[in-house]
Amino acid sequence: MADLTKTYDVLVIGGGNAALCAAISARRAGASVLVLEHAPREFRGGNSRHTRNLRAMHTAPTSVLTEAYREDEYWEDLLRVTGGNTDETLARMTIRATAEVLPWMEECGVRFQPSLSGTLSLSRTNAFFLGGGKALVNAYYVTAERLGVDVLYDSEVTALELADGVVRSATVTCRGFPATVRAKAVVASSGGFQANIGWLKRYWGEAADNFIIRGTPYAKGRILDSLLAQGVQQAGDPTQCHAVAIDARSPKFDGGIVTRLDCVPFSIVVNRNAQRFYDEGEDFWPKRYAIWGRLVAQQPGQIAYSIIDSKAVELFMPSVFPPVKAGSIEELAGKLTLDPAALERTVNEYNAAVRSGTFDTTTLDDCRTDGITPPKTHWARPIDIAPFYAYPLRPGITFTYLGVKIDERARVLMQDGRPAKNLFAAGEIMAGNILGRGYLAGFGMAIGTVFGRIAGKEAATYAYH
Amino acid sequence: MRTTEALEDARRALEICNACRYCEGFCAVFPAMEKRRAFSNGDLSYLANLCHNCRGCYHACQYAPPHEFGINLPKSFAELRVETYEEYAWPRPMARLLRRNGLVVSIVTALALAGVLLGAMLLQAPDLLYGTHTGPGAFYAVVPHSVMVALGSVTFLFVLFALGMGFANFWRDTGGRAAELTRGRPLRQALSDVLTLRHLGGQHGCNDRDETFSTARRRFHHALFYGFFACFASTGVATLYHVLFGWEAPYGLFSLPVLLGTFGGLGIAVGTAGMLWLKLTGDQVPTAKRLMGTEVAFLALLALTAVSGLLLLALRSTGAMGIALAVHLGFVLSLFLLMPYSKFVHGVYRAAALLRYALEREPAPTPAPVAVPAAAEPPIDIVRLARARSAEENTQPLGRSTPNPAAGD
């Protein structure tokens, strides 16, 4: 039974992948461990609930990964997406450590999907969790509890008291009641601040009210804020977050993967004034989806509408909500509360500008517009065959980049460059050290797992020291 | 399949599942789902019957209740399956009989049948019923062989016909054609899937009671399934003995019919007890509670059939044999008579759905493109179009900075 009056060897703040990897590792090293998870049990696991795979280096095929994915290739992929905004020492260390994490994860009860076929683009680089991230989180909780880790849900750590590089205590709200918890060592693995709309407003102003948070509502960044206010060095750009355009009808939080929309390249996208604002066919959608979060965020009211006709309706993955459907553009405008005349004008201008070509979704084809601004450079076909469909778009925030600076032993670094003595960090709260910008599928889970294990072990070692 | 609330609920859930696809590694339902973009009523019936109720998808689901999407596929499918059983049953009104009062109906039927048998015997010769009979033909001194054969054959033929009609109704409704039923490889695959319960947890086991994995349910089902067929084989062997060699029951303790029957009866008893235990102690959220009665009825009837058979074996050389025989026959006849309207039909429709699945998996002359599995980030059908390697990585953060030079270009 968890006991808040007891001084645990290791206190783990958070309840996602990194937190559990830390808790399990610390417990296996002999430490007594308390995990404080802000969410109730049903929603435990932070953003790990919504993940699906882990990017793992390997030099030969494994049971779940095909071919080979070597350190240098992994590093180059990371370098490309971050534009150099990374720390090579920490990054290479993480990459090398991923070569060993899969057996450890399996030992902790995580199950992987067998590699389905060699043709899949990700089966070479990424190991897929059977059932996704929530199944992984379940497995870790079962393992942690079996090992004797104490877990409290509905327990938010609101602040850490830090003096001379030592965490003295943690202020907790446990099921609504205040408490102070002491531990010999602390692992901060409580995520980013993307669910804290007030904090997002510091950089985005009132527009942030119209952002949808794709993941957990519990990533408020309280610990991050508490640490940065007490002289901990920061890593990652505070103004940055990963955002994609998602269905505007999505829940405010936790909508996850199903809210994404892949219709943009086959559509025209207009803002609430019924005006186009960007080349929808600039490149293949997987290369472009993440700029659309920002594009929509910059539009008035942070809303846009992707409009297609019946020719395009089956060209993309189904999504969670059915499109708005109408027999004419005028009727569609009415349903979207857009100015019908303006929308008809935009569609007519676009249709008139389309140059016929050979429509081919598998290449950057020659179907483009001529003489309108912005142009649509690929997959442009007239929108003229009823019924017409529209998907409303809003910015969907995946995660933030701001974090605390750490060293290769997961120790949190203070402003003077020296590590805090008993404070370690893992997961999204420190991912900005390595993934300073951009996105690499399955890399967040790689960082969380690798640094969770390191932080857990180091914290246990410190507690015994 | 007609449109009902349960069907609409399953459709809503599957439309969300089809946008997620995280569960595609669990069982056959998800690959079958991914072949479709819209779900006809027949498709939903097929998918509901393809579901083995392992609950893996429920425990893995980030949209499970209390999430506002409230996805609970095992429950939705269980509720829909029961409606499909009614829909396809022949004659259809009979199915409604068992919907609410399954347990009562089963037991009353069994006892009524036993009563009729006993009554007939008493009328015929009361002293025979309570007498002790041993040696060849002992059972037939109580219930004449001709009566047993007539009752058994008529029941069996009726059941076969009714189940066959149900199968045909299902097959037609889910878009099947008669010609498909003769394709060898899919048939063998489906048979193997039935015999091994490959989709009930596969190599990992399933979420029998909570989010931990176990193979308990599969093992209990195997005990039940193979126990049932061992009993069936026991009757078959005994019939052959009687017809071919003129050897009359009862047979020795170590004879094939008795061995098969004993092991079969024990298998059924253990299997039903285990299944009941899992049902009653497991997590109730992914369970369709209002169907519990029907399921318990079926398990109870199976268990009582097995136990009354074992009891008959124990009492066969005493004066209680006559009553034990009548009760056992009553349960056996009731089990078979109610078969086309009880949970038993799940076997028929599950097997049919597995056959449909195997047929769908058979490589078509021109191979269709493999469905791309969803990545953690937008799993897009057109991922395969993006032939640039690692295209999914070329993304750009939301921020006020200059464009990321690494993004996309």
Side-chain angles (χ1 to χ4, degrees):
Chain A
M1 264 307 283
D3 178 3
L4 290 182
T5 60
K6 166 177 158 186
T7 299
Y8 281 87
D9 291 333
V10 177
L11 166 66
V12 176
I13 306 172
N17 171 55
L20 293 164
C21 289
I24 290 169
S25 301
R27 182 76 192 120
R28 282 192 176 161
S32 62
V33 181
L34 173 66
V35 172
L36 294 177
E37 161 65 314
H38 183 185
R41 192 182 191 281
E42 294 81 6
F43 291 114
R44 68 187 181 183
N47 271 355
S48 308
R49 280 161 47 73
H50 294 289
T51 63
R52 196 181 178 186
N53 54 47
L54 183 145
R55 184 170 291 249
M57 170 191 147
H58 54 109
T59 51
T62 74
S63 58
V64 294
L65 293 162
T66 55
E67 299 171 52
Y69 186 50
R70 295 194 171 81
E71 180 183 338
D72 283 337
E73 190 188 350
Y74 199 147
W75 163 246
E76 278 156 25
D77 285 342
L78 180 64
L79 201 57
R80 198 177 59 250
V81 300
T82 57
N85 208 326
T86 180
D87 176 321
E88 183 163 359
T89 311
L90 292 177
R92 282 192 181 269
M93 199 192 96
T94 307
I95 290 169
R96 281 194 289 270
T98 62
E100 288 148 28
V101 296
L102 299 191
W104 183 85
M105 294 168 75
E106 283 180 323
E107 196 193 308
C108 291
V110 176
R111 288 138 216 270
F112 292 97
Q113 220 170 291
S115 59
L116 297 173
S117 129
T119 61
L120 305 174
S121 61
L122 282 167
S123 68
R124 184 173 70 88
T125 55
N126 290 45
F128 283 71
F129 319 137
L130 182 68
K134 190 176 167 191
L136 166 132
V137 164
N138 286 342
Y140 280 148
Y141 273 102
V142 167
T143 301
E145 281 166 6
R146 209 187 51 229
L147 291 171
V149 170
D150 287 341
V151 179
L152 281 177
Y153 300 105
D154 282 312
S155 299
E156 183 187 19
V157 182
T158 53
L160 288 176
E161 189 205 338
L162 197 55
D164 305 325
V166 177
V167 180
R168 304 287 177 192
S169 67
T171 309
V172 182
T173 308
C174 180
R175 292 162 194 158
F177 294 97
T180 301
V181 174
R182 285 171 218 286
K184 292 181 192 162
V186 172
V187 176
S189 39
S190 45
F193 69 88
Q194 68 275 8
N196 189 331
I197 305 289
W199 195 338
L200 290 173
K201 279 185 178 175
R202 284 189 219 163
Y203 316 112
W204 284 90
E206 296 309 306
D209 274 333
N210 289 323
F211 292 177
I212 295 170
I213 313 306
R214 301 173 71 200
T216 180
Y218 299 98
K220 301 286 191 199
R222 297 243 158 80
I223 293 307
L224 178 60
D225 190 38
S226 168
L227 293 178
L228 294 179
Q230 294 180 83
V232 164
Q233 263 190 68
Q234 75 175 43
D237 186 340
T239 68
Q240 300 285 313
C241 53
H242 182 269
V244 303
I246 62 168
D247 198 305
R249 297 164 293 182
S250 306
K252 183 74 179 170
F253 295 99
D254 249 344
I257 190 75
V258 300
T259 61
R260 84 196 172 307
L261 286 170
D262 305 330
C263 52
V264 168
F266 309 115
S267 73
I268 60 167
V269 178
V270 300
N271 60 19
R272 75 176 181 200
N273 302 323
Q275 302 302 312
R276 290 177 61 243
F277 53 89
Y278 198 83
D279 178 2
E280 301 88 349
E282 191 175 44
D283 205 340
F284 291 112
W285 185 237
K287 289 189 172 196
R288 278 292 165 269
Y289 74 90
I291 70 166
W292 280 85
R294 186 183 55 170
L295 290 171
V296 175
Q298 288 164 341
Q299 296 307 308
Q302 294 70 51
I303 185 116
Y305 304 91
S306 174
I307 294 169
I308 56 173
D309 71 0
S310 55
K311 293 194 294 292
V313 78
E314 294 205 346
L315 292 177
F316 48 90
M317 274 273 290
S319 62
V320 61
F321 300 113
V324 177
K325 182 179 174 183
S328 68
I329 293 295
E330 189 187 0
E331 186 193 343
L332 192 65
K335 287 187 173 175
L336 301 174
T337 65
L338 298 177
D339 175 359
L343 187 61
E344 279 194 318
R345 201 176 324 113
T346 298
V347 172
N348 290 338
E349 279 172 12
Y350 163 79
N351 285 349
V354 169
R355 297 289 157 260
S356 63
T358 311
F359 182 76
D360 182 355
T361 58
T362 64
T363 62
L364 293 168
D365 70 5
D366 59 351
C367 292
R368 58 184 177 78
T369 61
D370 201 3
I372 51 168
T373 309
K376 184 174 177 186
T377 49
H378 303 287
W379 309 298
R381 291 190 297 179
I383 295 178
D384 54 4
I385 310 234
F388 302 97
Y389 301 89
Y391 291 93
L393 309 174
R394 279 206 190 277
I397 312 298
T398 319
F399 58 85
T400 46
Y401 290 93
L402 177 66
V404 296
K405 192 118 181 123
I406 48 118
D407 67 8
E408 68 273 16
R409 289 167 61 190
R411 295 181 298 186
V412 170
L413 299 180
M414 306 301 294
Q415 289 292 3
D416 61 8
R418 289 200 308 209
K421 290 199 175 58
N422 65 343
L423 176 61
F424 306 84
E428 273 185 42
I429 198 171
M430 48 60 67
N433 286 272
I434 304 170
L435 189 74
R437 78 178 336 156
Y439 175 78
L440 191 59
F443 193 52
M445 290 300 277
I447 295 172
T449 308
V450 168
F451 274 89
R453 291 180 64 193
I454 294 172
K457 237 177 279 174
E458 292 285 339
T461 306
Y462 177 84
Y464 275 142
H465 177 57
Chain B
M1 183 65 208
R2 66 197 190 282
T3 302
T4 63
E5 206 177 303
L7 186 120
E8 286 299 349
D9 178 55
R11 186 172 353 246
R12 181 194 69 89
L14 273 180
E15 280 169 357
I16 294 176
C17 293
N18 207 18
C20 171
R21 304 189 173 183
Y22 278 20
C23 289
E24 66 189 358
F26 275 127
C27 69
V29 168
F30 299 97
M33 170 193 81
E34 288 175 19
K35 283 184 175 293
R36 294 159 167 83
R37 193 180 176 96
F39 302 96
S40 70
N41 290 9
D43 287 338
L44 291 166
S45 169
Y46 157 54
L47 293 171
N49 280 292
L50 192 55
C51 165
H52 288 50
N53 198 23
C54 79
R55 303 143 168 257
C57 63
Y58 165 76
H59 286 284
C61 183
Q62 67 261 51
Y63 304 116
H67 190 281
E68 63 183 275
F69 290 166
I71 302 297
N72 189 343
L73 221 44
K75 184 176 177 190
S76 300
F77 275 165
E79 287 175 346
L80 178 55
R81 269 198 301 277
V82 157
E83 292 185 354
T84 68
Y85 300 163
E86 267 183 56
E87 178 85 5
Y88 304 132
W90 183 91
R92 198 184 288 178
M94 276 295 289
R96 288 194 197 119
L97 187 69
L98 283 190
R99 194 192 315 171
R100 298 212 185 281
N101 309 305
L103 186 58
V104 176
V105 171
S106 311
I107 290 175
V108 168
T109 311
L111 294 179
L113 286 168
V116 169
L117 284 171
L118 285 171
M121 287 182 255
L122 284 171
L123 279 179
Q124 199 186 24
D127 52 324
L128 279 178
L129 179 61
Y130 300 112
T132 305
H133 308 272
T134 50
F139 293 142
Y140 310 127
V142 183
V143 182
H145 183 250
S146 56
V147 173
M148 257 193 235
V149 168
L151 271 176
S153 326
V154 168
T155 307
F156 186 65
L157 289 175
F158 165 76
V159 165
L160 267 189
F161 183 74
L163 291 177
M165 289 297 284
F167 175 87
N169 288 337
F170 173 86
W171 200 249
R172 212 177 304 118
D173 194 38
T174 55
R177 287 168 292 118
E180 291 173 309
L181 295 170
T182 53
R183 288 176 57 189
R185 260 167 51 106
L187 271 174
R188 281 195 296 280
Q189 179 65 53
L191 184 65
S192 144
D193 290 348
V194 169
L195 295 180
T196 60
L197 291 179
R198 180 162 70 102
H199 297 291
L200 191 61
Q203 56 174 325
H204 298 297
C206 46
N207 298 105
D208 289 331
R209 299 173 63 199
D210 52 30
E211 61 236 359
T212 61
F213 288 78
S214 93
T215 52
R217 189 137 161 276
R218 185 166 43 178
R219 284 159 196 264
F220 286 133
H221 193 284
H222 275 328
L224 185 48
F225 180 91
Y226 288 103
F228 179 82
F229 282 100
C231 290
F232 201 74
S234 161
T235 312
V237 170
T239 307
L240 289 181
Y241 277 11
H242 190 102
V243 174
L244 293 183
F245 308 114
W247 301 340
E248 291 198 356
Y251 303 105
L253 275 181
F254 298 101
S255 64
L256 194 53
V258 173
L259 283 177
L260 281 169
T262 308
F263 283 113
L266 289 172
I268 293 177
V270 168
T272 49
M275 299 289 276
L276 271 172
W277 170 67
L278 289 177
K279 254 184 220 316
L280 298 175
T281 60
D283 187 348
Q284 297 295 305
V285 182
T287 306
K289 282 191 209 75
R290 63 189 181 85
L291 305 178
M292 202 67 127
T294 326
E295 310 209 336
V296 169
F298 178 58
L299 287 172
L301 189 53
L302 269 169
L304 289 170
T305 306
V307 169
S308 65
L310 293 170
L311 208 62
L312 173 60
L313 178 66
L315 300 176
R316 67 181 185 176
S317 49
T318 72
M321 183 269 269
I323 292 175
L325 178 63
V327 169
H328 180 55
L329 287 178
F331 275 113
V332 172
L333 283 174
S334 165
L335 178 70
F336 274 82
L337 263 182
L338 298 177
M339 215 170 240
Y341 319 105
S342 72
K343 172 92 196 265
F344 180 87
V345 295
H346 82 278
V348 175
Y349 301 128
R350 180 77 31 83
L354 285 167
L355 179 57
R356 166 135 308 293
Y357 181 69
L359 285 162
E360 282 187 357
R361 303 282 288 183
E362 267 298 88
T366 46
V370 179
V372 174
E377 271 304 330
I380 308 158
D381 265 344
I382 59 162
V383 160
R384 70 171 188 275
L385 318 177
R387 287 187 295 202
R389 191 177 53 78
S390 303
E392 83 287 353
E393 302 150 3
N394 294 302
T395 65
Q396 192 173 1
L398 176 67
R400 284 175 177 163
S401 59
T402 50
N404 178 355
D409 301 309

